[in-house]
Amino acid sequence: MRDPAVEIRDAEEGEIGLLARLWYDSWQDAHATIVPVELPKLRTVERLEERLAAMLPSVRVVNLSGEPAGLCAIKDDELYLLYLSAKARGSGVAAALLADAETRLSQGGVAVAWLACAVGNDRAARFYEKCGWHRVGTEFKQLDTPNGTFPLEVWRYEKRLS
Ligand SMILES: CC(C)(COP(=O)(O)OP(=O)(O)OC[C@H]1O[C@@H](n2cnc3c(N)ncnc32)[C@H](O)[C@@H]1OP(=O)(O)O)[C@@H](O)C(=O)NCCC(=O)NCCS
């Protein structure tokens, strides 16, 4: 049974700024040292706010003891983003947020979901593998930045949803 202090819910318009900051900090933690040097400078809080506003209906938030501790979004058949605050990592809430996303993908008719994980993001890779995702290859993903798209080498993971 899930910890009653953990609540997973839809994101709200009034918290876009807070969630963009959480996404930004978490992205920088995981990627600043493993991606090409120009990419972290292109990841601004303002751009993440715009992107969150555009995808708000697909964004879910995990609250830990009443505070937003992570966010997750799906896009078509993709687990599009999953980011936890530093203090929430290792607590088990990531698995709960991922399970929530897998349920939404499956309910939307997706049989095989996929996600992109930056090459070298070993903690995330380990997490996905322990949650039943399989690395199927390495490819380039076109990331959205204020200067247009940026090709990033990623591990592609897939999972068959039952
Ligand atoms: C990815 C993320 C959501 C996973 O959540 P989490 O709470 O950290 O996951 P867990 O602690 O349950 O699992 C992480 C696993 O990686 C292991 N790990 C930690 N650091 C590691 C490293 N440097 N290399 C390899 N494995 C590592 C942990 O020991 C754990 O494995 P174990 O349970 O077998 O011991 C979270 O770490 C996060 O938000 N990271 C920053 C943003 C990010 O990378 N998002 C994903 C983008 S694709």
Side-chain angles (χ1 to χ4, degrees):
M1 203 167 72
R2 188 187 294 165
D3 181 340
V6 176
E7 178 204 359
I8 296 177
R9 58 171 178 80
D10 292 338
E12 291 166 17
E13 202 169 346
E15 62 185 352
I16 285 176
L18 184 153
L19 295 177
R21 170 51 70 174
L22 196 163
W23 182 5
Y24 175 86
D25 289 341
S26 185
W27 188 93
Q28 295 288 343
D29 277 356
H31 297 95
T33 61
I34 62 168
V35 298
V37 286
E38 57 271 42
L39 184 57
K41 292 179 223 141
L42 297 171
R43 285 295 211 216
T44 64
V45 176
E46 294 72 25
R47 182 65 192 133
L48 298 184
E49 279 181 8
E50 289 168 10
R51 290 175 59 197
L52 275 179
M55 67 172 113
L56 200 62
S58 72
V59 180
R60 299 274 281 170
V61 174
V62 61
N63 272 7
L64 201 49
S65 304
E67 297 292 327
L71 71 160
C72 183
I74 58 173
K75 183 178 174 187
D76 303 323
D77 57 351
E78 179 183 4
L79 180 83
Y80 187 63
L81 65 88
L82 175 61
Y83 288 91
L84 247 55
S85 68
K87 69 178 180 190
R89 291 173 211 155
S91 69
V93 297
L97 199 50
L98 180 59
D100 177 79
E102 290 173 10
T103 299
R104 288 184 300 134
L105 286 160
S106 182
Q107 286 172 347
V110 174
V112 177
W114 73 280
L115 65 84
C117 176
V119 169
N121 189 351
D122 294 326
R123 181 174 188 135
R126 166 75 193 129
F127 167 72
Y128 292 128
E129 284 164 17
K130 108 182 148 163
C131 294
W133 290 71
H134 301 283
R135 191 185 299 178
V136 296
T138 301
E139 60 193 34
F140 280 88
K141 186 174 190 196
Q142 301 298 329
L143 301 187
D144 176 280
T145 82
N147 295 357
T149 56
F150 185 101
L152 180 68
E153 194 172 25
V154 296
W155 290 317
R156 181 185 176 98
Y157 278 86
E158 292 183 358
K159 183 173 181 178
R160 178 165 292 283
L161 306 172
S162 49

